[in-house]
Amino acid sequence: MNPATLPSTAATAAAAAPRPSRRLPLPAWTAWVAAGILAGAALLPGLAQAQIGGNTPVRIGVVGPFTGPSADFGVPMLNGIKLAVDEINAVGGYLGRPLELVVKDDAANPDQGRKVSQELLADKVVATIGFCNTGVALKAIDLFQDAKSPLIVPCSTGTAVTTKYPPADSYIFRVQARDALQAPFMVDDIVKRGWDKVAIFADKTGYGEGGHDDVVAALAAKNLKPVHVARFDLGVKDLTAELAAARNAGANVIYSYTVGPENAVIANGKKALGWKVPQVGAWPLSFPFFLEGAKDAAEGALMVQTFIAEPSNERRASFLSSYSRKYQRKVAVPMAAANAYDATYLLMYSFLGIRDGNLTGKAIKESLEGKMKTYYGVVSTYEKPFSVQDKDAITRNMLVIGLVKNGAITFAYPEDAKRNLIIQRKQ
């Protein structure tokens, strides 16, 4: 659809949109939901002033690793954002103005991430969605903070990303479970299973550093200390010596904190040693680099998840169906795509809360922190995802433990599969 031919008001777009029906294809349901959102926004006083901009696109920055070792989850993140933007634009965009993505590849390199972030800000984007790698994010977020340009992070889990600045002043938001949530959640599961001798394997990036610290703190809260700690560089091909040392230290579980093929190096090395202890960790254990790189050695691994790709309700089924239809494949990293999709809609909802239609960084920040219209998302129903004092949309009750079974991710506990039928809301 040509943006120039889009209806000039959200109400017009909504009138033309299909009404929901069980007989409609699932993507049509999603389109109807988007139309209803925009129709409601057209009723707010003062929003029609946004028409002063005519069909001028609303430019939104996107930054992430779309090539290189972290493209595993960078590409699904980007695809989730594009899917949401396509749906929003199909029903009129922001009051007749199409959303336009300005996409920059950071290649999982901190220096490159800082460079392309400067480019995005020079391009005058109204806000940015992005960052998968914590080390890359931490190298660049000061640029967005100093420019007072809102940044919503859908993938990077490093605790420091949303704690670097005082919350009331911070322009950095996140739709993802920070490591300070993930680590205690997994440690609780480890203790419940009776695994009390933990070996930590963490890479030397900002992600691995922060994850290591969060795991150590979570263990300490249970009066435990790691029996062995291995630190390694990205790209390592052999960790046999460190695995043997962990085995000799009596470890009965390996907690890994890395984002790439190194997770598979750990699993394959453990198998080569004939050492049958479980491997647990954060969400990168659900990535193709691990599942395909380790194959049968990945079986039984446990990881923290916000979203497991099972169509437990209509909105999740619609998202999964729309994604596979648009990209002609199943989503490779469902969490990355779903969190990014929800982040995009939350940003759009913040626009709709700005009554004079002037999309300044300060206005977007205050709208995100305020009482936005409830968004019925994929990961959660977001009633008040952020506040002046809280920049993280995901809370512990939204987390589940995922399990590698037959090369795919499923629920580790049947009760979580049942609980997944009900969308968890922020606590």
Side-chain angles (χ1 to χ4, degrees):
M1 182 180 292
N2 185 339
T5 66
L6 289 172
S8 59
T9 68
T12 303
R19 305 302 295 175
S21 167
R22 296 293 178 183
R23 294 172 297 180
L24 286 173
L26 286 171
W29 167 265
T30 305
W32 178 83
V33 171
I37 292 167
L38 299 180
L43 302 177
L44 293 174
L47 274 175
Q49 294 180 26
Q51 291 300 316
I52 294 172
N55 287 331
T56 304
V58 177
R59 292 163 64 81
I60 298 170
V62 180
V63 57
F66 310 128
T67 60
S70 290
D72 240 13
F73 61 130
V75 171
M77 180 193 81
L78 177 59
N79 287 347
I81 295 168
K82 286 181 174 179
L83 179 60
V85 166
D86 284 352
E87 291 171 359
I88 292 166
N89 282 344
V91 293
Y94 175 61
L95 298 179
R97 298 174 62 189
L99 306 187
E100 177 182 279
L101 298 178
V102 183
V103 180
K104 300 290 184 179
D105 182 7
D106 64 34
N109 180 290
D111 292 331
Q112 175 71 3
R114 186 173 181 85
K115 176 178 178 292
V116 297
S117 296
Q118 290 170 327
E119 293 172 359
L120 282 175
L121 293 168
D123 283 340
K124 304 297 183 183
V125 297
V126 299
T128 298
I129 303 170
F131 293 114
C132 288
N133 305 89
T134 295
V136 180
L138 291 175
K139 181 82 171 183
I141 59 174
D142 65 297
L143 298 173
F144 297 94
Q145 181 69 19
D146 292 346
K148 293 181 169 52
S149 182
L151 169 70
I152 302 183
V153 179
C155 286
S156 172
T157 62
T159 302
V161 170
T162 47
T163 60
K164 183 173 181 179
Y165 301 105
D169 301 328
S170 180
Y171 280 74
I172 315 301
F173 299 80
R174 176 160 46 196
V175 184
Q176 173 58 287
R178 65 192 183 277
D179 289 327
L181 282 183
Q182 291 199 45
F185 191 76
M186 180 54 75
V187 166
D188 284 350
D189 192 66
I190 288 172
V191 172
K192 182 171 70 174
R193 292 170 182 266
W195 303 331
D196 57 352
K197 295 179 175 57
V198 183
I200 300 175
F201 278 64
D203 67 38
K204 294 179 181 177
T205 67
Y207 174 70
E209 185 69 31
H212 164 271
D213 293 348
D214 285 327
V215 173
V216 170
L219 288 171
K222 301 290 184 180
N223 296 314
L224 296 174
K225 292 182 179 180
V227 297
H228 181 77
V229 174
R231 304 303 304 275
F232 51 87
D233 295 318
L234 290 183
V236 66
K237 303 298 183 187
D238 186 355
L239 287 167
T240 302
E242 288 285 7
L243 287 163
R247 182 178 60 182
N248 293 339
N252 56 16
V253 61
I254 292 176
Y255 201 132
S256 58
Y257 243 100
T258 187
V259 296
E262 297 78 18
N263 272 320
V265 171
I266 295 167
N268 289 329
K270 184 163 58 75
K271 178 184 176 183
L273 288 173
W275 188 29
K276 296 182 179 181
V277 294
Q279 183 173 350
V280 307
W283 70 305
L285 289 178
S286 67
F287 292 7
F289 262 136
F290 178 63
L291 301 178
E292 296 169 8
K295 298 190 184 305
D296 63 316
E299 285 293 299
L302 300 167
M303 80 297 298
V304 181
Q305 299 277 275
T306 61
F307 174 67
I308 290 177
E310 295 187 10
S312 55
N313 59 43
E314 195 162 13
R315 72 185 83 160
R316 287 172 173 164
S318 177
F319 167 74
L320 293 169
S321 175
S322 297
Y323 188 103
S324 61
R325 183 173 302 190
K326 179 177 176 63
Y327 300 110
Q328 296 299 301
R329 66 176 71 91
K330 291 183 178 180
V331 56
V333 181
M335 267 183 68
N339 289 352
Y341 178 90
D342 282 357
T344 307
Y345 267 102
L346 287 173
L347 180 60
M348 180 65 188
Y349 272 55
S350 77
F351 296 167
L352 300 175
I354 300 172
R355 292 180 175 270
D356 63 2
N358 189 12
L359 303 181
T360 65
K362 183 174 184 292
I364 295 169
K365 173 183 183 293
E366 291 176 350
S367 185
L368 285 167
E369 295 168 343
K371 177 59 177 173
M372 297 191 299
K373 181 180 173 70
T374 298
Y375 164 54
Y376 299 93
V378 176
V379 174
S380 177
T381 292
Y382 302 87
E383 293 176 319
K384 189 173 175 54
F386 309 109
S387 71
V388 172
Q389 295 299 328
D390 184 4
K391 298 301 189 287
D392 283 285
I394 304 298
T395 48
R396 181 186 168 99
N397 64 300
M398 301 177 193
L399 305 182
V400 296
I401 300 294
L403 167 71
V404 179
K405 185 176 181 180
N406 298 323
I409 306 301
T410 189
F411 292 93
Y413 297 105
E415 55 267 34
D416 280 342
K418 292 179 181 178
R419 191 169 66 95
N420 193 52
L421 298 172
I422 303 172
I423 294 288
Q424 301 299 308
R425 302 185 181 212
K426 183 171 183 175
Q427 292 182 347

